[in-house]
């Protein structure tokens, strides 16, 4: 028994040593950030700016030359840059900690049609991965389930909380549909040779049947109770968006036609490889796009080598509202590089401030949270940060202060602790 107590004590001690930074307290005093270059997130820039906020809300945004009394503590940010908190879309961050440890992975459930499954209640606010996002300026994220045909519902959280209950800023914002692929890649996992997906038509037919049955159920007396059908209600009454994961001209076109016919009003295309080929269709149907991260290989053998880097610019130039998503290999860990993907898009055809919109105002609009975040504007949440330099560049992205709803949050993480530890080691040598 004594050995058991010692083991428990050691485990608790180790857990305490490695715990997430304590969430910040509510803002109790006003703050003024003066002298920085302010990137408002809507394409505008204010040199030598003045930003003031109190009680978690922005009270003033303008020039530091303005003859106005400064509020509370004044932070001299001359030579630095101020940005709205970056927003990561379509990420499963917080739903898994260590991929090799099954018990820590909660990104999907068994079954194909799970619109009623909620990612929010599985979100781990104390994840080490979540902690690593804040020092790069990523302060808000859309937490998305994976797997199946209808994966479930996503929610949007801020990244400084004790539990999922106090992390959420928009609950159950949308349902995620993985549209069948018309092409089979073959290989040892899928079996067979590359070529047309012989099951494509039957898979689409099953989807149509499910949607029709759900609509009929919701119009009936709903007995016996069917949870998957209950979960579809938000799509048909316009309260939730359909995040439609698809790539390829055929899949995108047929998926949009399907959703419109089913009576879904609000549609967001996710992934969207080849979306630039149907840009007019997207604009005509008021469909926004969450593109994949820039640092990836072309999807097809005959694609230009730099097509993944130019996708955001091509869609933006066509009039499509675009944000950046993270789905794919190592997506949770790579979420901390969100701003550098925006920087890559800026290097391949986008204006730097337009590229910034991919992870600020555009992301906020697509996710339906632009009323209170996404830009530096009076009345919006004081969710912002101060960077030593250009936050879309690895050399300049060095945060000195960050705030979520006015709360002065910690920028410490496992990475910063290791950096401090080993920088001292090599200084001594």
């Amino acid at each position: 028994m004594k050995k058991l107590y010692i083991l428990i004590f050691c485990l608790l001690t180790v857990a305490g040593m490695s715990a997430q930074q304590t969430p910040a307290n509510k803002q109790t005093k006003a703050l003024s950030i003066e002298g920085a270059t302010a990137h408002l997130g809507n394409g505008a820039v204010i040199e030598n700016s003045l930003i003031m906020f109190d009680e978690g809300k922005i009270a003033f945004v303008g020039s530091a030359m303005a003859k106005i009394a400064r509020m509370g503590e004044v932070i001299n940010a001359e030579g630095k840059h101020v940005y709205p908190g970056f927003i990561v879309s379509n990420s499963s961050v917080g739903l898994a900690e260590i991929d090799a440890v099954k018990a820590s992975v909660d990104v999907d459930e068994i079954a194909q049609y799970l619109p009623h499954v909620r990612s929010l209640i599985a979100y781990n606010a104390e994840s080490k991965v979540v902690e690593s996002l804040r020092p790069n300026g990523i302060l808000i994220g859309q937490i998305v389930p994976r797997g199946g045909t209808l994966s479930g519902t996503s929610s949007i959280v801020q990244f400084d909380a004790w539990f999922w209950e106090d992390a959420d800023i928009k609950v159950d914002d949308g349902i995620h549909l993985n549209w069948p692929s018309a092409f089979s890649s073959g290989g040892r996992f899928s079996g067979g040779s590359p070529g047309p997906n012989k099951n494509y038509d039957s898979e689409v037919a099953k989807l149509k049947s499910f949607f029709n049955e759900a609509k009929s159920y919701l119009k009936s007396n709903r007995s016996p109770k069917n949870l998957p059908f209950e979960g579809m209600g938000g799509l048909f009454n316009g309260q939730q968006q359909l995040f439609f994961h698809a790539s390829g001209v055929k899949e995108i076109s047929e998926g949009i036609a399907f959703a419109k016919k089913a009576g879904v009003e609000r549609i967001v295309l996710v992934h969207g490889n080849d979306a630039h080929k149907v840009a007019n269709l997207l604009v005509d149907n008021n469909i926004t796009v969450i593109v994949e991260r820039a640092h990836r290989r072309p999807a097809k053998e005959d694609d230009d080598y730099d097509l993944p880097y130019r996708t955001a610019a091509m869609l933006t130039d066509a009039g499509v509202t675009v944000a950046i998503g993270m789905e794919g290999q190592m997506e949770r860990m790579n979420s901390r590089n969100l701003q550098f993907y925006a920087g890559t898009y800026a290097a391949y055809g986008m204006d730097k401030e337009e590229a910034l919109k991919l992870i600020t105002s555009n992301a906020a609009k697509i996710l339906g949270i632009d009323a209170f975040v996404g830009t530096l504007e009076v009345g919006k949440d004081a969710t912002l940060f101060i960077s030593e330099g250009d936050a879309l560049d690895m050399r300049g992205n060095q945060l000195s202060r960050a705030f979520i709803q006015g709360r002065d949050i910690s920028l410490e993480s496992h990475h910063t602790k290791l950096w401090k530890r080993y920088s001292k080691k090599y200084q001594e040598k």
Side-chain angles (χ1 to χ4, degrees):
M1 182 63 72
K2 184 177 180 181
K3 291 182 178 179
L4 177 61
Y5 287 141
I6 293 172
L7 175 61
I8 292 173
F9 174 78
C10 291
L11 289 173
L12 291 174
T13 301
V14 171
M17 290 172 62
S18 62
Q20 182 202 32
Q21 295 298 313
T22 302
N25 295 321
K26 282 187 176 182
Q27 183 181 8
T28 57
K29 62 178 181 179
L31 288 168
S32 299
I33 302 173
E34 185 171 6
T37 299
H39 304 262
L40 305 189
N42 58 7
V45 177
I46 302 176
E47 304 287 348
N48 189 22
S49 67
L50 174 62
I51 299 172
M52 301 190 289
F53 53 97
D54 192 16
E55 297 182 350
K57 297 291 184 180
I58 298 175
F60 180 85
V61 177
S63 171
M65 301 300 289
K67 295 181 179 179
I68 183 174
R70 275 43 175 171
M71 298 172 62
E73 176 190 347
V74 177
I75 301 172
N76 182 3
E78 187 176 350
K80 300 181 181 182
H81 297 255
V82 178
Y83 294 86
F86 295 156
I87 303 168
V88 58
S89 308
N90 187 35
S91 174
S92 60
V93 66
L95 298 183
E97 197 67 8
I98 304 171
D99 287 350
V101 180
K102 204 168 186 178
S104 75
V105 179
D106 202 7
V107 297
D108 62 7
E109 298 289 344
I110 298 172
Q112 289 296 309
Y113 296 91
L114 298 166
H116 59 297
V117 169
R118 307 173 64 222
S119 64
L120 181 62
I121 60 174
Y123 172 69
N124 177 18
E126 294 192 281
S127 166
K128 287 283 188 185
V129 183
V130 169
E131 184 181 89
S132 73
L133 305 185
R134 299 196 304 262
N136 281 359
I138 305 161
L139 308 182
I140 296 172
Q142 182 194 34
I143 310 306
V144 179
R146 303 289 183 223
T149 302
L150 282 166
S151 304
T153 66
S154 56
S155 288
I156 302 162
V157 300
Q158 52 85 10
F159 292 138
D160 186 57
W162 286 110
F163 313 104
W164 64 263
E165 292 93 338
D166 55 343
D168 67 86
I169 59 175
K170 188 171 185 180
V171 176
D172 299 337
D173 66 300
I175 293 176
H176 291 257
L177 165 63
N178 296 306
W179 188 261
S181 173
F183 182 81
S184 175
S185 60
R188 58 174 178 162
F189 294 110
S190 57
S193 303
N197 176 10
K198 297 178 181 178
N199 299 319
Y200 177 77
D201 290 337
S202 63
E203 290 170 358
V204 171
K206 287 179 183 178
L207 255 177
K208 289 180 180 178
S209 177
F210 181 85
F211 270 66
N212 290 334
E213 289 176 17
K215 290 180 76 174
S216 298
Y217 168 85
L218 292 168
K219 292 177 181 178
S220 69
N221 60 7
R222 302 188 182 189
S223 180
K225 198 174 187 68
N226 185 304
L227 290 179
F229 290 165
E230 290 280 349
M232 295 289 287
L235 281 184
F236 299 130
N237 63 22
Q239 292 182 0
Q240 289 180 311
Q241 297 192 97
L242 176 65
F243 290 89
F244 161 59
H245 298 234
S247 290
V249 171
K250 176 182 174 69
E251 291 91 330
I252 294 170
S253 302
E254 292 187 1
I256 291 172
F258 163 81
K260 289 290 183 179
K261 187 175 181 179
V264 178
E265 299 175 4
R266 302 163 60 202
I267 305 169
V268 178
L269 174 62
V270 184
H271 296 321
N273 291 329
D274 285 344
H276 59 284
K277 297 178 181 179
V278 290
N280 290 337
L281 177 66
L282 299 175
V283 173
D284 292 343
N285 287 278
N286 195 30
I287 294 174
T288 55
V289 179
I290 297 176
V291 298
E292 295 186 48
R293 40 191 151 145
H295 299 177
R296 55 189 167 86
R297 291 173 296 179
K300 300 176 182 176
E301 290 184 356
D302 57 350
D303 283 344
D304 293 343
Y305 76 93
D306 60 351
L307 181 61
Y309 309 147
R310 296 188 286 110
T311 301
M314 295 166 71
L315 288 170
T316 299
D317 291 344
V320 180
T321 301
V322 181
I324 299 176
M326 293 304 306
E327 187 171 356
Q329 291 185 331
M330 297 288 289
E331 65 176 86
R332 290 171 289 281
M333 295 71 175
N334 276 319
S335 290
R336 65 176 176 264
N337 294 322
L338 173 73
Q339 63 286 343
F340 306 137
Y341 300 136
T344 298
Y345 282 128
Y348 283 83
M350 294 194 79
D351 174 80
K352 181 63 73 70
E353 299 305 317
E354 284 295 313
L356 177 64
K357 290 165 68 173
L358 301 176
I359 55 176
T360 54
S361 59
N362 281 9
K365 288 176 184 175
I366 291 173
L367 301 181
I369 54 175
D370 54 311
F372 52 91
V373 293
T375 56
L376 301 177
E377 293 183 62
V378 173
K380 290 193 175 184
D381 288 356
T383 299
L384 50 91
F385 64 88
I386 304 172
S387 175
E388 297 295 314
D390 181 356
L392 303 190
D393 189 308
M394 290 184 182
R395 296 163 296 183
N397 186 287
Q398 300 178 42
L399 274 62
S400 55
R401 301 282 289 273
F403 306 87
I404 294 179
Q405 298 164 343
R407 297 180 289 110
D408 194 351
I409 67 170
S410 170
L411 294 175
E412 286 292 319
S413 72
H414 183 62
H415 295 155
T416 59
K417 289 174 184 175
L418 289 175
W419 167 65
K420 290 176 182 177
R421 176 184 178 184
Y422 286 104
S423 63
K424 290 180 181 178
K425 173 182 177 180
Y426 290 108
Q427 285 172 5
E428 292 173 359
K429 296 294 183 181

